[in-house]
């Protein structure tokens, strides 16, 4: 009797088997009951006398009380940074490099603790905070430590000088990593900083204050003011700042640009995205499926450069969608501290509502929704991995940034059509191209209006590689030698 043949693209059967949970130790991190602001090297009580509670999105458990900085607090932080700038900017660059190097080493030493804190406060799976956020955050400090005493070589024939106090505002999707992207180049160039973390994820920035103490960062060189959007607005308006760097929504980015109009303050904006992940019929299909899954379900899709639009060549559409659905059925949604978890919690109730609303619009506009069967935890904020087929370019789910685990599938026939559809968005942050032909990757990269184009991979980051957008994805570059330029003036 012949054996029953499995379909060639079948995955091993998982039904009936359960993973044993493998929890990362929660006890490695202990939060204070209440955090003040980090100003001039000290934790200070906010003048505003106001606090808010930060909760874990996976359990809704309160984690700590955090200060809500008002205008007076922000002004004090900027004053502390101005005072520190007088000395820090005159340090020998090689000495500044040592400070950055020490920060990188302390981040490595405390990686486990910081990864757990990041997953608790933000909801991302521990395997991501442990294997992506922390190693990359440390790598950014190592990388820019290397540049600190070589600025003259980075810009031959020009005399680079620091700007002064950099006001830096970061979002909730990569709290510590975005902090590293901002603070490392600013300090390497001799600036001092006032950083505002997002309201829902302030804890790793507050732990970073302790990393600064351990690394002997001089008082006032790094200041951290927590609070909601109003704290960010006070920071942008503050007297004494010499630079603004913002990562977040296009809407707030535009508001900041308006606020700075007429003031001679350089600005970098890293805003939203609606990346096209473009799959040609000659690609390694299983590898592409992995790239698609990584592109959209990594960090619950809370990624500005997420591959949220899948453009697939018509001839392989059905086969690819079938493989993708099978792969999605193996994704494990649940406790961020479980090392087996692939998709963690949605960062906040507000973000969950936004995702739910946009997904509803997809169904209403006629796209076809698929979600693999999965049990979502009862407490906390969750959304199952989702894919929409039969999507039209005019649908909101093909135009707007959902910032959740939701993929929209569209088709194309020719490379020209793929380029046209990929560029048919107000954003221009990233794109992916999957094909066996190297020449086609280069041809596409030339025509895609995206700051980053990945070839046969997705969501790859390296401190040496510049990152940033076109169109409404913002301007300026972070990372690499280009990332230094944003924090320098030239004599
Ligand atoms: P925001 O742009 O509001 O938040 C980013 C940062 O800016 C946060 O620290 C926020 O503070 C702060 N902020 C808010 N308002 C102001 C202001 N007027 N002036 C200065 N700073 C301000 O993003 P949201 O959290 O509201 O997310 C909304 C949408 O934005 C998401 O659904 C997603 O589409 C997109 N987004 C894009 C990101 C990206 O990396 N490109 C990152 C985050 C969101 P606070 O958190 O306290 O409100």
């Amino acid at each position: 009797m012949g054996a029953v043949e499995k379909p060639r693209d079948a995955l091993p059967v998982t039904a009936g088997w359960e993973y044993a949970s493998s929890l990362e130790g929660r006890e490695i991190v202990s939060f204070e009951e209440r955090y003040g602001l980090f100003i001039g090297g000290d934790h200070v009580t906010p003048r505003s006398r106001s606090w808010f509670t930060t909760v874990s999105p996976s359990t809704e458990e309160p984690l700590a009380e955090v200060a809500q900085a008002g205008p007076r607090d922000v002004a004090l932080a900027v004053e502390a940074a101005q005072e520190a700038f007088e000395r820090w900017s005159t340090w020998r660059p090689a000495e500044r490099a040592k400070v950055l190097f020490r920060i990188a080493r302390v981040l490595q030493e405390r990686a486990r603790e910081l990864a757990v804190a990041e997953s608790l406060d933000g909801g991302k799976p521990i395997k991501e905070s442990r294997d992506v956020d922390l190693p990359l955050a440390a790598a950014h400090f190592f990388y820019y430590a290397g540049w600190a005493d070589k600025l003259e070589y980075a810009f031959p024939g020009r005399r680079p000088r620091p700007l002064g106090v950099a006001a830096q505002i970061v979002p909730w999707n990569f709290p510590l990593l975005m902090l590293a992207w901002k603070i490392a180049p600013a300090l390497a160039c001799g600036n001092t900083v006032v950083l505002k973390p997002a309201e829902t994820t302030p804890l790793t920035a507050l732990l970073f204050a302790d990393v600064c103490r351990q690394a002997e960062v001089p008082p006032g060189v790094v200041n951290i003011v927590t609070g909601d959007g109003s704290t960010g607005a006070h920071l942008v308006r503050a007297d004494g700042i010499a630079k603004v760097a913002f990562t977040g929504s296009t809407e707030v980015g535009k508001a900041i640009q308006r606020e700075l109009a007429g003031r001679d303050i350089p600005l970098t904006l890293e805003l939203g995205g609606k990346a096209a992940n473009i799959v040609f019929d000659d690609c390694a299909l299983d590898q592409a499926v992995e790239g698609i899954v990584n592109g959209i379900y990594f960090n619950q899709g809370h990624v500005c450069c997420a591959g949220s639009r899948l453009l697939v060549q018509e001839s392989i559409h059905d086969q690819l969608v079938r493989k993708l659905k099978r792969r999605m059925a193996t994704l494990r949604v649940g406790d961020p501290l479980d090392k087996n978890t692939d998709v963690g919690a949605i960062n906040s109730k507000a973000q969950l509502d936004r995702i739910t609303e946009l997904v509803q619009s997809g169904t209403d506009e006629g796209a076809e929704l698929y979600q693999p069967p999965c049990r979502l935890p009862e407490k906390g904020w969750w959304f199952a991995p989702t894919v929409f087929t039969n999507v039209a370019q005019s649908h909101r789910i093909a135009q707007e940034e959902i910032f959740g685990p939701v993929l929209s599938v569209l088709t194309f026939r020719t490379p020209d059509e793929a380029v046209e559809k990929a560029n048919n968005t107000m954003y221009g942050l990233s794109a992916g191209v999957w094909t066996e032909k190297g020449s086609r990757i280069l041809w596409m990269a030339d025509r895609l209006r995206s700051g980053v184009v990945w070839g046969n991979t997705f969501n790859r980051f390296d401190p040496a590689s510049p990152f940033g957008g076109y169109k409404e994805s913002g301007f300026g570059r972070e990372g690499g030698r280009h990332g230094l330029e944003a924090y320098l003036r030239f004599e």
Side-chain angles (χ1 to χ4, degrees):
M1 202 175 79
V4 180
E5 219 184 310
K6 279 191 192 167
R8 278 182 56 215
D9 54 355
L11 288 167
V13 177
T14 50
W17 293 81
E18 271 305 321
Y19 280 69
S21 62
S22 170
L23 293 180
E24 181 58 272
R26 159 81 170 77
E27 62 290 343
I28 192 167
V29 56
S30 61
F31 299 118
E32 314 264 325
E33 251 170 61
R34 183 179 257 196
Y35 285 92
L37 303 164
F38 185 61
I39 297 178
D42 284 325
H43 289 280
V44 302
T45 305
R47 298 284 202 277
S48 67
R49 299 273 152 201
S50 168
W51 279 267
F52 63 94
T53 303
T54 182
V55 300
S56 166
S58 57
T59 57
E60 298 174 53
E61 155 207 9
L63 295 173
E65 281 191 15
V66 176
Q68 162 73 39
R72 183 78 194 107
D73 297 303
V74 169
L76 286 174
V78 174
E79 277 165 33
Q82 278 180 304
E83 210 177 295
F85 178 72
E86 299 302 319
R87 297 181 303 278
W88 177 248
S89 57
T90 62
W91 273 36
R92 283 189 37 239
E95 295 302 314
R96 284 203 302 262
K98 287 182 195 166
V99 172
L100 274 107
F101 190 84
R102 287 201 295 268
I103 294 176
R105 292 290 288 126
V106 178
L107 286 176
Q108 287 186 322
E109 282 160 18
R110 295 178 64 172
R112 218 176 122 216
E113 171 200 357
L114 289 161
V116 170
E118 198 74 309
S119 286
L120 273 173
D121 202 22
K124 65 172 68 195
I126 188 73
K127 71 173 182 188
E128 292 178 8
S129 41
R130 182 196 61 198
D131 298 346
V132 180
D133 296 61
L134 259 297
L136 275 176
H140 270 266
F141 280 98
F142 277 127
Y143 176 76
Y144 282 109
W147 271 122
D149 61 349
K150 300 175 196 69
L151 298 177
E152 311 263 345
Y153 304 102
F155 304 100
R158 301 162 82 189
R159 283 166 50 88
R161 294 284 173 265
L163 296 168
V165 178
Q168 306 183 317
I169 300 171
V170 294
W172 41 261
N173 52 347
F174 293 92
L176 192 66
L177 183 57
M178 288 302 106
L179 172 153
W181 279 29
K182 299 242 170 333
I183 293 184
L187 263 47
C189 293
N191 303 280
T192 56
V193 306
V194 179
L195 178 122
K196 192 204 90 72
E199 182 184 359
T200 56
T201 53
L203 291 179
T204 44
L206 291 164
L207 293 178
F208 183 79
D210 195 49
V211 170
C212 290
R213 180 194 56 75
Q214 262 183 291
E216 295 172 27
V217 179
V221 169
V222 172
N223 304 274
I224 292 171
V225 289
T226 46
D228 62 12
S230 68
T231 305
H234 297 315
L235 182 55
V236 172
R237 273 186 223 123
D239 288 331
I241 58 169
K243 158 83 192 170
V244 174
F246 171 79
T247 299
S249 63
T250 295
E251 191 191 341
V252 173
K254 285 181 180 177
I256 290 175
Q257 203 173 5
R258 281 195 295 274
E259 186 61 47
L260 290 180
R263 288 167 74 187
D264 185 18
I265 294 178
L267 171 66
T268 32
L269 293 178
E270 202 267 89
L271 309 175
K274 193 74 191 173
N277 210 351
I278 306 166
V279 182
F280 285 93
D281 61 4
D282 65 345
C283 75
L285 209 52
D286 291 315
Q287 197 180 321
V289 169
E290 288 309 306
I292 294 161
V293 167
N294 171 265
I296 186 63
Y297 303 119
F298 171 64
N299 199 21
Q300 298 76 247
H302 298 332
V303 184
C304 47
C305 53
S308 53
R309 285 182 302 150
L310 174 63
L311 296 190
V312 50
Q313 200 152 19
E314 205 174 80
S315 51
I316 55 163
H317 172 272
D318 294 354
Q319 191 190 2
L320 178 61
V321 169
R322 212 168 43 243
K323 277 179 182 272
L324 178 62
K325 287 180 178 173
R326 284 199 184 163
R327 178 66 177 88
M328 284 170 70
T330 68
L331 292 175
R332 301 176 55 79
V333 184
D335 187 349
L337 288 193
D338 189 331
K339 293 168 202 160
N340 296 314
T341 293
D342 299 302
V343 179
I346 299 301
N347 183 265
S348 65
K349 170 80 169 57
Q351 188 59 25
L352 178 60
D353 291 346
R354 186 176 152 74
I355 297 168
T356 310
E357 194 255 325
L358 273 159
V359 165
Q360 186 59 48
S361 83
T363 310
D364 294 346
E365 288 186 306
E368 203 173 297
L369 173 141
Y370 170 80
Q371 290 174 330
C374 66
R375 234 176 304 137
L376 300 180
E378 274 168 23
K379 275 222 140 201
W381 304 303
W382 307 92
F383 204 87
T386 301
V387 59
F388 273 110
T389 47
N390 286 333
V391 179
Q393 288 191 80
S394 57
H395 290 170
R396 285 182 67 198
I397 53 167
Q399 291 292 331
E400 294 181 34
E401 185 177 45
I402 303 175
F403 228 62
V406 183
L407 178 67
S408 302
V409 183
L410 300 105
T411 58
F412 67 91
R413 286 184 182 170
T414 63
D416 282 316
E417 190 188 347
V419 168
E420 200 175 313
K421 285 187 168 165
N423 287 339
N424 182 19
T425 164
M426 68 182 203
Y427 297 113
L429 197 53
S430 67
V433 181
W434 297 84
T435 171
E436 199 189 42
K437 287 197 183 70
S439 58
R440 184 181 280 158
I441 294 176
L442 297 175
W443 187 91
M444 294 287 292
D446 252 2
R447 287 158 182 80
L448 291 169
R449 294 282 293 155
S450 309
V452 178
V453 179
W454 285 293
N456 291 325
T457 187
F458 210 90
N459 274 342
R460 288 273 180 172
F461 303 97
D462 190 287
S465 172
F467 184 90
Y470 286 109
K471 301 193 278 186
E472 296 203 15
S473 290
F475 47 78
R477 294 292 177 264
E478 292 185 304
R481 190 178 58 84
H482 304 68
L484 295 166
E485 208 160 352
Y487 290 97
L488 291 169
R489 63 189 171 84
F490 296 93
E491 284 179 349

